[in-house]
Amino acid sequence: MIGNQGRLRTGQSLIAISAVAVLFALAAKWAGPGFTGVVRDGMETHIHMANADADARPKTVVTPISCERLPNVPGKSITTAIVAFPPNGFTPRHRHPGSVSAFVLKGTLRSQLQGSPAGTYSAGQTWFEPPGTVHLFAENASTTEPAELLATFIADDDCGALTIPD
């Protein structure tokens, strides 16, 4: 049969899938506790280490723009901030005291919340973080171009710290 050439049989498919699973498990074991997952970006695959060389990578710069009390929601405020990611910029594992909506202004960012797969977000795209959710990492996908996002926080009235290291 001409159609069978070049195709994997069911047994071969299971062996291939098993081999990939073993390699993934070995990569995770080798990587250690900082391993957060594998991200497929087009034809490239990136293994993410939330704290791998985190101290050596450029840090993000958070610039608060405003903090206003919400008159219709007693005890809560809305804070907006610009988060600038220099080329190869990285934010390690952390959480926020309230809800956060992130809107990518420029560039491409990768981000992962605990319990969710890593995502890649370009200008005009958003993600949402429920209060207290562990944000495993956020990083600039580019090593040569900056990226930037607008973060909107709904949290307690104190307009205090926006990020809590975890």
Side-chain angles (χ1 to χ4, degrees), residues 18-19 26 32 36 42 46 49 58 90-91 95 98 108 125 127 135 151:
S18 297
L26 288 172
T36 63
H46 306 274
M49 297 289 295
F90 180 80
T91 298
R95 56 182 82 220
T108 302
Q125 294 184 306
W127 72 83
H135 194 167

Side-chain angles (χ1 to χ4, degrees), residues 39-160:
V39 175
R40 183 117 173 109
D41 185 14
M43 295 302 291
E44 298 180 24
T45 300
H46 306 274
I47 294 178
H48 284 279
M49 297 289 295
N51 294 316
D53 301 319
D55 292 335
R57 293 180 71 179
K59 303 294 182 245
T60 56
V61 176
V62 179
T63 305
I65 299 170
S66 68
C67 181
E68 303 291 331
R69 288 195 167 141
L70 292 171
N72 61 333
V73 186
K76 298 294 179 184
S77 291
I78 184 168
T79 301
T80 54
I82 299 291
V83 183
F85 288 77
N88 199 36
F90 180 80
T91 298
R93 182 182 169 114
H94 64 279
R95 56 182 82 220
H96 301 285
S99 298
V100 182
S101 179
F103 178 83
V104 180
L105 296 169
K106 69 178 179 182
T108 302
L109 299 168
R110 284 191 285 266
S111 177
Q112 184 175 15
L113 303 179
Q114 191 168 42
S116 299
T120 301
Y121 304 90
S122 298
Q125 294 184 306
T126 67
W127 72 83
F128 176 77
E129 300 177 38
T133 300
V134 175
H135 194 167
L136 297 173
F137 74 90
E139 67 184 356
N140 188 341
S142 174
T143 58
T144 59
E145 299 295 322
E148 202 170 71
L149 66 81
L150 175 69
T152 304
F153 301 82
I154 305 293
D156 292 335
D157 268 344
D158 64 3
C159 294

